[in-house]
Amino acid sequence: MHDFLTKTRFSGNPLSILNQFLDEEKTKELVSSTDNWKFAGYVIDIGFNTVRIITSDPYKKAIGGMPRGSFLIMVPEDLEGIAPHFSLLRVSGVAPTPLTNSVQQTYFELHKKSMPELDRWTVSELQWGSIDCDLLGMFYPNPDDAKKIEFSGDINAVVSAHRYRVFAPDERILNIIINGMVKSELNQSIGKLRLTECRLPFNNAKSNLEDVSVQISLKDFLGARTAMFGKTRLGKSNVVKIIANATIEALASQSEYKCGQLIFDINGEYANTNHQNISLREMHSEHCQVYALIQKDETPSKPLRLNFYTDPSEGMRVLGSLLQAEGNLSGYVKSFANLELPTFELCNNMGFGEKIRAYRKIQLFWSILNQSAFQANEGELKALIPFVANGPNGFDPGFTDDVRFKVYSFIDAESGTSDGVPARPKTLSQMKREYASIAKYVLNSKDPLLSTSGQKNELFDGDDVVMLTFLNPNTGRGTQWITDYKKYHSPDAQNLIKQIIDDLNGSKTVILDLGSADDKVRKYFSNMISTAVFQEQERKFTSNSLKSHFVNLFFEEAHNLFPRTVKDNTDVYSRFAKEGAKFHIGMIYSTQSPSTISQELLAQTENFFVGHLSSQDEAKSLGKVNVYYDGVQEDILSSKTPGYMRMLTQSHRFVVPVQVKHFGS
């Protein structure tokens, strides 16, 4: 009666299937139907972390083999009157038995004498073996809700080994093991369970266990950090696409959660369909918005540009990197490519004299851009350089009347004209003309007031002279060197940020197509847009309007953004790692080696997908970062099948081997 009441109480619990499973296995044993028996062996030694079982070849054949990494369940010999529960084991290796030495001696003698056959008593003795297993924890009914399952990373008690029996789970039990603790919200399939890389059926018996679908909850990824590790060409990008695709599909069918996705597509594979894969944009054209540096006819997109005028420091850095990529630079072009310009914030904090020099450097840079036909919003630019007494004012460099008279008198003498001194510049093109005239004067006159010996009372320092030379050289291409880089510029780039933020707030997937771009251009856009996303989510948090709106950012080659040795803990990426969860900012980052990533970020990472690693040091470092990967390093080192991942999410308490489905299939 007590057993009946117990079974009735837990009849609505998924673990009630365990009673049915054990009854079926008992019936098979009674009628000697052992061909499909799930019995795996007996426990001969048990601890709180490991279990050793004894098994036999017929048992292994019946269950389809017992490879390393496979799951077994350990149950008490009698569950009558108690709640259905089982302990989860993972096969870790072969262990010696008490008769190992005797068995090896028998093998030695047999092979030595080349005996063709064994008597059945000897065969019976030799087919027994021992297996070591890791004890991962226990599944049992929730004490507060009889219809729910709980999992603990330990077991409540250890009794004598003979009180336990070990079984291989069938599809029903395995589904509980793999998916029983996954949150039901925003649930999606990511692939199939795959216990081993080897696909050859053991003993020619096909198992249905690997037909078990592996589920994930996208709620585990919202506002969380997710790492993708593994050698190149083994499926990291495919997993990223699967997660991004699953997020779009899961959110489309509900209204509680909102999530914008921002993908930094450094190879153009998420935005553009190629001969190998369909793109995420093509799969979900109504939910995706592409911003491209180089727009393609076959891929609808908006232009991705930066405004070199409004951010002269980064603009000069980007132009310099593009020039350096040309190679074979010499003279003033090489010097120009290595220049650094101040930010407007830095200028505003300078003393009077330094501020004048800094503003003039920026104006000179603007003149170079104007000479190269970079378009500008002049009203916006003019306001960036406020009035400075006897110094720059908008587009007026603020040179004294004496300096301007000398410069334009020299120009008239050189050209044989008598135009005289023009009015002070009021437009960008007039300012460019003034600096071009000064460049000609500096490079061709011998006026000591404008010499380049480095004295503080001189108008221009060495960097200024480099820019003046680049603007109006006596020989060479000058500003024609950067004319081709206009494709990276737009005077409306500030609106770009607003458009992207609006798309993310509308739960769109924004793909930044950075294919074929220079590394520094990529870094510029990554910094600029990441900072804007952080500020927007922080604004929502402080105004109490964050609610259930998340943003997930996808980074490839993450070791460049989150290096192991982080000198600046205040950059936007470090803030993502530390404060992202609070502001509902999630990150999905991928790289080949876990040892190259910031240890602080790894310690904060909740979800992992690990493919093949070829270095023992890398595999060991993974085990140190996350204890759940301790014990599966050998499998990670030996398996090289694309898409074969060892997955761990917030819902899972142990590593799950999964063959991630191919995106688009």
Side-chain angles (χ1 to χ4, degrees):
M1 178 59 69
H2 181 61
D3 183 49
F4 172 77
L5 293 174
T6 301
K7 289 184 177 180
T8 302
R9 180 188 174 196
F10 295 109
S11 61
N13 192 290
L15 284 174
S16 62
I17 199 70
L18 179 64
N19 291 319
Q20 182 181 342
F21 171 80
L22 294 176
D23 289 342
E24 292 170 355
E25 296 307 306
K26 189 173 183 179
T27 300
K28 294 175 186 176
E29 182 180 10
L30 291 175
V31 300
S32 299
S33 176
T34 57
D35 289 344
N36 60 349
W37 197 20
K38 294 297 184 181
F39 181 70
Y42 304 95
V43 177
I44 59 174
D45 188 31
I46 184 172
F48 286 104
N49 298 311
T50 58
V51 171
R52 179 169 292 177
I53 66 172
I54 185 170
T55 186
S56 184
D57 289 347
Y59 300 156
K60 295 177 185 176
K61 291 180 180 179
I63 66 176
M66 200 180 293
R68 182 177 63 194
S70 57
F71 296 114
L72 302 173
I73 62 172
M74 182 177 71
V75 297
E77 193 169 30
D78 186 3
L79 275 176
E80 289 190 10
I82 59 177
H85 67 278
F86 63 85
S87 298
L88 181 62
L89 310 180
R90 183 175 61 208
V91 175
S92 60
V94 177
T97 69
L99 300 177
T100 294
N101 291 334
S102 299
V103 170
Q104 290 178 351
Q105 183 177 357
T106 301
Y107 279 137
F108 178 79
E109 293 297 331
L110 289 173
H111 290 300
K112 179 180 177 182
K113 296 177 181 180
S114 300
M115 293 180 65
E117 295 182 359
L118 302 176
D119 61 85
R120 62 180 181 178
W121 290 281
T122 304
V123 170
S124 179
E125 290 294 327
L126 295 181
Q127 68 186 359
W128 286 91
S130 188
I131 298 292
D132 275 338
C133 300
D134 294 324
L135 179 52
L136 300 181
M138 179 184 289
F139 284 92
Y140 56 92
N142 186 317
D144 302 320
D145 188 341
K147 294 185 178 182
K148 294 183 179 180
I149 303 175
E150 272 195 8
F151 177 83
S152 65
D154 53 18
I155 58 176
N156 56 357
V158 169
V159 296
S160 300
H162 74 280
R163 300 281 298 276
Y164 298 100
R165 304 184 85 187
V166 178
F167 294 87
D170 65 3
E171 296 94 322
R172 298 167 297 176
I173 303 296
L174 204 53
N175 188 61
I176 292 175
I177 293 172
I178 302 303
N179 302 316
M181 299 305 298
V182 176
K183 300 178 182 71
S184 59
E185 299 171 282
L186 307 182
N187 205 278
Q188 292 275 308
S189 171
I190 196 170
K192 298 288 187 180
L193 179 68
R194 183 171 182 175
L195 297 175
T196 63
E197 185 178 32
C198 179
R199 295 191 294 167
L200 181 67
F202 179 75
N203 197 38
N204 292 324
K206 187 180 185 309
S207 171
N208 293 323
L209 297 185
E210 294 188 2
D211 289 335
V212 175
S213 176
V214 177
Q215 303 291 313
I216 59 171
S217 169
L218 274 303
K219 191 175 179 182
D220 287 339
F221 298 85
L222 298 179
R225 285 136 295 207
T226 302
M228 309 277 175
F229 296 128
K231 302 296 287 183
T232 187
R233 305 301 301 167
L234 291 179
K236 295 191 300 296
S237 295
N238 181 67
V239 179
V240 171
K241 292 176 185 176
I242 291 293
I243 292 176
N245 177 72
T247 301
I248 293 172
E249 293 181 348
L251 294 177
S253 60
Q254 58 82 57
S255 58
E256 180 180 357
Y257 295 95
K258 294 183 178 180
C259 181
Q261 300 187 105
L262 179 60
I263 301 176
F264 295 91
D265 188 4
I266 63 176
N267 295 312
E269 59 184 308
Y270 301 93
N272 309 293
T273 296
N274 55 46
H275 68 283
Q276 293 179 329
N277 297 294
I278 187 173
S279 69
L280 184 67
R281 185 216 63 82
E282 185 170 340
M283 183 79 79
H284 296 285
S285 58
E286 71 279 14
H287 295 290
C288 295
Q289 178 59 60
V290 175
Y291 292 83
L293 273 174
I294 302 175
Q295 294 178 280
K296 302 177 178 64
D297 293 337
E298 63 274 17
T299 303
S301 63
K302 294 181 180 179
L304 179 61
R305 302 287 186 268
L306 58 91
N307 191 331
F308 286 88
Y309 286 98
T310 55
D311 195 348
S313 178
E314 282 294 335
M316 184 63 244
R317 204 169 283 134
V318 170
L319 286 178
S321 67
L322 293 171
L323 284 170
Q324 289 168 355
E326 298 272 354
N328 299 321
L329 301 180
S330 60
Y332 68 88
V333 180
K334 184 177 182 180
S335 299
F336 178 77
N338 288 292
L339 288 179
E340 291 188 5
L341 294 179
T343 63
F344 283 106
E345 181 180 7
L346 183 61
C347 291
N348 293 333
N349 293 322
M350 289 179 176
F352 176 72
E354 289 180 315
K355 183 180 293 187
I356 290 178
R357 289 178 177 272
Y359 279 145
R360 283 174 176 164
K361 287 182 189 295
I362 293 173
Q363 288 180 325
L364 186 47
F365 179 65
W366 285 354
S367 299
I368 291 171
L369 296 177
N370 181 256
Q371 176 91 340
S372 304
F374 282 62
Q375 295 181 344
N377 184 334
E378 295 197 15
E380 180 184 18
L381 296 188
K382 192 171 183 180
L384 291 175
I385 298 182
F387 173 75
V388 179
N390 299 319
N393 176 18
F395 296 125
D396 182 4
F399 295 120
T400 65
D401 291 339
D402 181 54
V403 168
R404 298 186 76 235
F405 178 79
K406 288 184 177 182
V407 169
Y408 286 104
S409 295
F410 178 80
I411 298 298
D412 285 347
E414 286 280 301
S415 61
T417 61
S418 57
D419 294 334
V421 180
R424 289 188 174 273
K426 294 182 179 180
T427 66
L428 184 58
S429 61
Q430 290 172 357
M431 182 183 72
K432 184 243 328 196
R433 176 193 172 189
E434 179 124 323
Y435 273 112
S437 299
I438 290 174
K440 190 170 185 179
Y441 183 84
V442 168
L443 298 178
N444 296 283
S445 75
K446 298 181 180 179
D447 188 339
L449 290 176
L450 301 177
S451 66
T452 59
S453 61
Q455 297 178 14
K456 289 186 178 181
N457 63 338
E458 294 169 353
L459 289 177
F460 304 112
D461 60 20
D463 288 350
D464 296 327
V465 174
V466 168
M467 284 196 285
L468 289 168
T469 306
F470 194 82
L471 174 65
N472 194 11
N474 289 329
T475 59
R477 294 168 58 189
T479 58
Q480 292 181 11
W481 277 95
I482 63 172
T483 301
D484 289 343
Y485 305 145
K486 288 187 295 184
K487 60 188 178 184
Y488 297 124
H489 168 77
S490 170
D492 300 319
Q494 291 301 110
N495 294 330
L496 168 73
I497 297 295
K498 184 180 184 303
Q499 291 174 12
I500 291 175
I501 294 299
D502 288 344
D503 287 338
L504 294 174
N505 287 338
S507 293
K508 280 198 171 185
T509 295
V510 175
I511 304 173
L512 303 182
D513 184 358
L514 300 170
S516 303
D518 178 84
D519 284 342
K520 291 190 178 181
V521 174
R522 293 174 184 162
K523 188 172 182 180
Y524 174 85
F525 281 112
S526 297
N527 286 336
M528 177 178 68
I529 298 173
S530 295
T531 300
V533 169
F534 189 92
Q535 291 173 345
E536 173 66 7
Q537 292 299 101
E538 186 178 35
R539 181 194 65 77
K540 293 177 186 174
F541 178 82
T542 55
S543 63
N544 197 29
S545 59
L546 191 57
K547 298 180 181 179
S548 294
H549 191 281
F550 296 81
V551 175
N552 280 349
L553 294 90
F554 296 76
F555 298 105
E556 294 191 340
E557 304 298 330
H559 54 274
N560 293 324
L561 301 177
F562 310 99
R564 184 179 180 88
T565 304
V566 181
K567 296 180 180 179
D568 182 9
N569 290 316
T570 62
D571 68 2
V572 66
Y573 305 110
S574 296
R575 297 195 70 184
F576 281 153
K578 294 177 182 178
E579 307 173 65
K582 178 172 66 175
F583 299 131
H584 288 185
I585 300 173
M587 290 193 303
I588 294 87
Y589 63 93
S590 59
T591 186
Q592 293 189 33
S593 305
S595 65
T596 61
I597 292 292
S598 163
Q599 296 301 292
E600 183 177 2
L601 173 58
L602 283 173
Q604 302 286 345
T605 298
E606 295 93 345
N607 307 306
F608 291 84
F609 289 83
V610 182
H612 169 66
L613 299 175
S614 60
S615 166
Q616 290 186 347
D617 291 339
E618 295 293 345
K620 288 178 181 177
S621 69
L622 183 64
K624 291 179 181 178
V625 168
N626 193 301
V627 67
Y628 295 111
Y629 277 92
D630 194 20
V632 299
Q633 290 98 327
E634 291 298 325
D635 297 322
I636 292 171
L637 289 168
S638 61
S639 302
K640 296 183 69 174
T641 300
Y644 187 22
M645 297 282 174
R646 266 68 184 187
M647 179 187 77
L648 181 70
T649 74
Q650 292 189 74
S651 289
H652 294 94
R653 295 287 300 277
F654 46 86
V655 174
V656 174
V658 56
Q659 180 65 48
V660 178
K661 61 187 178 183
H662 188 267
F663 176 70
S665 60

